[in-house]
Amino acid sequence: MSDDTLPDRLSVNPESPFYNEALLSRGIGVRFKGVEKTNVEEYCVSEGWVRVAVGKTVDRRGNPLTMKLTGPVEVWLKD
């Protein structure tokens, strides 16, 4: 992967197959429906959805509860 190419799908959960620690440490910006989101847990650009954390609520395994929202997704590197 080159420096300016971002993956189509990325997750912040280390147990996910779409997790990429090196890329997340660089900083990823996500814009959903024209609004920058800071609580995105996972995104998919080609399918047009993001999973956002719902408050501070967690499930019985300690993972945040998420809600899937559909719409246009844009991503970029923050650095």
Side-chain angles (χ1 to χ4, degrees), residues 18-76:
F18 303 106
Y19 178 75
N20 185 336
E21 183 177 1
L23 194 56
L24 290 170
S25 66
R26 292 181 64 186
I28 301 291
V30 179
R31 186 175 293 122
F32 177 71
K33 292 186 178 179
V35 178
E36 187 172 351
K37 298 286 187 183
T38 58
N39 61 342
V40 173
E41 296 290 321
E42 186 175 4
Y43 73 79
C44 183
V45 175
S46 65
E47 295 177 14
W49 57 263
V50 295
R51 285 198 182 274
V52 294
V54 180
K56 296 188 184 282
T57 309
V58 295
D59 65 8
R60 61 183 167 188
R61 294 183 184 122
N63 297 321
L65 289 181
T66 60
M67 183 170 49
K68 186 176 183 179
L69 305 173
T70 58
V73 179
E74 300 172 46
V75 294
W76 69 91

Side-chain angles (χ1 to χ4, degrees), residues 7-8 48 62:
D8 177 56

